[in-house]
Amino acid sequence: MVLSPIDTVDNVSKLNNNTGMNCDFHMEEKVLPPSSLEGKVKETMHNAFWDHLKEQLSATPPDFSCALELLKEIKEILLSLLLPRQNRLRSDIEEALDTELLKQKAERGALDVPHLSKYILDTMTLLCAPVRDEAVQKLENITDPVWLLRGIFQVLGLMKMDMVNYTIQSLQPHLQEHSIQHERATFQELLNKQPSLLSHTTKWLTQAAADLTTPLPTCPDTSDSASVASSSPSEAAISPEPLSPTMVLSQGFLNLLLWDPEDEDFPETLLTDRTQLQELESQLSQLTILASVLLVASSFSGSVLFGSPQFVDKLKHITKDVMEEFKSRPEEAMQTVSEQVPQEIHQSLKNMGLAALSSENTASLIGQLQNIAKKENCVRSVIDQRIHLFLKCCLVLGVQRSLLDLPGGLTVIEAELAELGQKFVSLTHRNQKVFGPYYTEILKTLIPPAQALETEVESL
C-alpha cells in the first residue's frame, strides 16, 4: 500500500492523539497507564460514548444519531486505506455507506446495523494486513452490535497505523538520502567559511592510522579465569595489519568509544553523534563487567550449570542490578556481586545434586569477582579487548557474520552484543554516508598509495 507524502502527514496528524512515534520512525499505539489521570479520563469518555450508543440503539424507537456518526467515520477510515487503483471497491464503500441514504433509513427506523457491520468486516478482511487477520476474525464472533462496532473501531485504528507505517517505510530511503545530502551541504557551507573546520577530524584519523601500526598490549595470565578466556581464531585481527581506508576509519570509530570527556578535540564530523556515542560507550562498559563476571563464575561453576539459560540469566540479573552503582563505587558494587554470585552457584549446585564449592574455591571466586572492580584487572582487560574486536568485525563484516565467530568469553552475552553492534554500525554507517567524501580526502594523505587497498570510502 502506498500513500503520497501529503496523505502520510495527514494520517499521522489524525493519529497523533492516540499514537506515538518511536525512535525507528514507527507509529505505535500510545498506551496510557490506567492509573494516570489522562488514562482515567480517556477511559471514562470512551465508556460514556459506548454506553450512550447502547442506550440509543435499545430505545423504542431506536435512536441512530450516534451510530450514524460512527458509521460516517468508519467509512472515512476505510476509504483512507484504499490504493488509488481500487476504484471499484471505493465505489462499493461509497454506495454501501452513503451518508444520506443511511440517514434516510435511520429516519424510517430501518437502519440495519448488524448488516452494515457485516459489510464493514468483509471489507476489513480485504484491506487488512495479514497481522490483523486474527483480530478481524475474532470480531465475527461478536453478536452484540455495540461491542461489535467498538471492536471494529479499535481494529480500524490499528489498520490505519499499519498503513502509515508502510508508507513511512516506503519513503524512508528517500527521506534518508535527502537528510544526508542536506547535512553534507550544511557542513560544506560551514567549511567554506572555516577552512580549518576539519582539523580535529584529521587528527582523529591520524591517530587511528597510528594505532593500527602499533600492537595491542597483551595481558599475562595472572588467574585461572584469565586462562579460561583463551584466544579464538578471530583474535588474530588485533595484530598490526596493512593500512586501508576502511580499517583506519573503523579504528577511528572504535576510538570514539574510549574518548576522554575532557578532550575537546572531538571530530567535527561527529559532534551531533557525541551523545549517542557516549551512551554506546556506557553500554560497552557495562557489557565488559557483565561478561567478566560471567567468565569468572563459569570457571567455578562448570559446564553443567552454565548450560542452563535460567542460571546464566540469574547471574546476569545480579550483575545488571549493580551497574549504576558501579559507575561511582565500583568496589562496593563488586562486593555485592561477590556476595550474591557464590550464593547462587552454591544453591544451584545443591539443587542439581552436585558437590558444593570448597571453601578454598569459594574464597578464590570471591577474590576474583572483587578484582573486576580494578581497571587493570586481566579478565576485564581481555573481555574489553574482545568486545572492541567484535565491534571492529561488525564494522567490516556486518553484525550477523561477526556473531558467527565470537571471541572466547562473549557467547554468554551474544544477544546484548548483537544489540550494541547494530546500534554502533547504524550510527557509523550513516555518519560515513554524510561525511565519506571528506574522510576520503583526509585518508589519501595518511595512507601511502602502495599500501592502500581502496581509493574511496564508500560504506563499511
Side-chain angles (χ1 to χ4, degrees), residues 66-118:
C66 279
L68 287 172
E69 289 298 321
L70 195 60
L71 290 170
K72 180 181 178 181
E73 187 156 358
I74 288 174
K75 172 187 172 183
E76 292 177 355
I77 296 175
L78 290 175
L79 291 175
S80 74
L81 298 175
L82 297 178
L83 296 174
R85 64 175 180 272
Q86 293 177 300
N87 294 321
R88 178 174 297 180
L89 187 53
R90 183 180 300 276
S91 298
D92 289 344
I93 295 173
E94 291 279 9
E95 180 179 349
L97 298 176
D98 180 85
T99 304
E100 287 303 317
L101 181 60
L102 294 180
K103 185 177 180 181
Q104 294 173 13
K105 289 184 177 180
E107 290 173 350
R108 299 195 306 268
L111 188 66
D112 191 344
V113 174
H115 174 75
L116 291 170
S117 298
K118 177 65 169 59

Side-chain angles (χ1 to χ4, degrees), residues 198-346:
L198 287 170
S199 59
H200 293 166
T201 302
T202 302
K203 181 179 178 181
W204 162 60
L205 291 176
T206 302
Q207 182 60 53
D211 291 341
L212 284 173
T213 60
T214 305
L216 288 176
T218 58
C219 182
D221 289 337
T222 58
S223 69
D224 292 337
S225 298
S227 65
V228 174
S230 56
S231 61
S232 68
S234 298
E235 200 140 5
I238 66 175
S239 59
E241 52 195 293
L243 292 181
S244 72
T246 295
M247 298 308 293
V248 173
L249 195 55
S250 298
Q251 183 62 43
F253 285 132
L254 286 172
N255 289 347
L256 295 172
L257 297 177
L258 300 171
W259 201 273
D260 183 356
E262 302 299 323
D263 188 347
E264 297 180 356
D265 294 344
F266 199 79
E268 298 89 348
T269 55
L270 284 137
L271 287 174
T272 57
D273 299 316
R274 189 167 190 174
T275 299
Q276 192 173 353
L277 283 165
Q278 289 173 342
E279 293 174 354
L280 292 178
E281 188 278 331
S282 177
Q283 188 175 347
L284 186 153
S285 298
Q286 292 180 8
L287 289 184
T288 298
I289 303 303
L290 176 61
S292 298
V293 169
L294 295 175
L295 182 58
V296 170
S298 69
S299 66
F300 290 89
S301 306
S303 59
V304 176
L305 275 187
F306 257 75
S308 167
Q310 293 81 4
F311 174 73
V312 175
D313 286 342
K314 287 180 180 179
L315 297 192
K316 284 184 178 182
H317 183 71
I318 290 171
T319 308
K320 290 177 179 180
D321 279 349
V322 302
M323 284 304 179
E324 286 302 318
E325 182 184 5
F326 189 90
K327 295 179 182 178
S328 56
R329 299 187 300 275
E331 290 80 10
E332 289 85 343
M334 293 314 300
Q335 176 67 35
T336 302
V337 170
S338 68
E339 293 171 355
Q340 296 183 20
V341 168
Q343 292 178 9
E344 189 62 46
I345 292 176
H346 174 77

Side-chain angles (χ1 to χ4, degrees), residues 116-135:
L116 291 170
S117 298
K118 177 65 169 59
Y119 171 80
I120 293 169
L121 284 178
D122 291 342
T123 307
M124 290 169 64
T125 301
L126 293 174
L127 297 176
C128 73
V131 70
R132 306 299 176 197
D133 284 341
E134 184 178 354

Side-chain angles (χ1 to χ4, degrees), residues 268-453:
E268 298 89 348
T269 55
L270 284 137
L271 287 174
T272 57
D273 299 316
R274 189 167 190 174
T275 299
Q276 192 173 353
L277 283 165
Q278 289 173 342
E279 293 174 354
L280 292 178
E281 188 278 331
S282 177
Q283 188 175 347
L284 186 153
S285 298
Q286 292 180 8
L287 289 184
T288 298
I289 303 303
L290 176 61
S292 298
V293 169
L294 295 175
L295 182 58
V296 170
S298 69
S299 66
F300 290 89
S301 306
S303 59
V304 176
L305 275 187
F306 257 75
S308 167
Q310 293 81 4
F311 174 73
V312 175
D313 286 342
K314 287 180 180 179
L315 297 192
K316 284 184 178 182
H317 183 71
I318 290 171
T319 308
K320 290 177 179 180
D321 279 349
V322 302
M323 284 304 179
E324 286 302 318
E325 182 184 5
F326 189 90
K327 295 179 182 178
S328 56
R329 299 187 300 275
E331 290 80 10
E332 289 85 343
M334 293 314 300
Q335 176 67 35
T336 302
V337 170
S338 68
E339 293 171 355
Q340 296 183 20
V341 168
Q343 292 178 9
E344 189 62 46
I345 292 176
H346 174 77
Q347 186 60 48
S348 297
L349 289 172
K350 181 179 178 181
N351 293 342
M352 298 182 72
L354 300 174
L357 292 179
S358 66
S359 57
E360 182 180 351
N361 282 340
T362 300
S364 178
L365 170 59
I366 292 173
Q368 290 190 40
L369 289 173
Q370 291 177 347
N371 283 336
I372 293 174
K374 302 174 182 178
K375 290 184 178 181
E376 65 275 13
N377 175 260
C378 192
V379 175
R380 183 172 165 182
S381 297
V382 168
I383 292 297
D384 183 65
Q385 288 180 16
R386 291 180 177 181
I387 293 180
H388 278 83
L389 170 60
F390 165 75
L391 291 176
K392 186 174 185 177
C393 290
C394 286
L395 293 178
V396 178
L397 304 175
V399 177
Q400 294 306 315
R401 286 183 61 186
S402 301
L403 289 171
L404 296 177
D405 188 22
L406 284 175
L410 300 188
T411 54
V412 288
I413 58 167
E414 180 177 346
E416 292 86 352
L417 284 175
E419 179 185 353
L420 175 65
Q422 191 58 57
K423 289 180 181 178
F424 189 50
V425 169
S426 296
L427 184 151
T428 56
H429 181 75
R430 189 188 185 285
N431 177 270
Q432 194 176 354
K433 284 286 188 180
V434 176
F435 299 103
Y438 303 106
Y439 296 149
T440 297
E441 293 304 312
I442 295 172
L443 290 170
K444 284 180 180 178
T445 67
L446 300 177
I447 304 174
Q451 283 186 291
L453 302 178

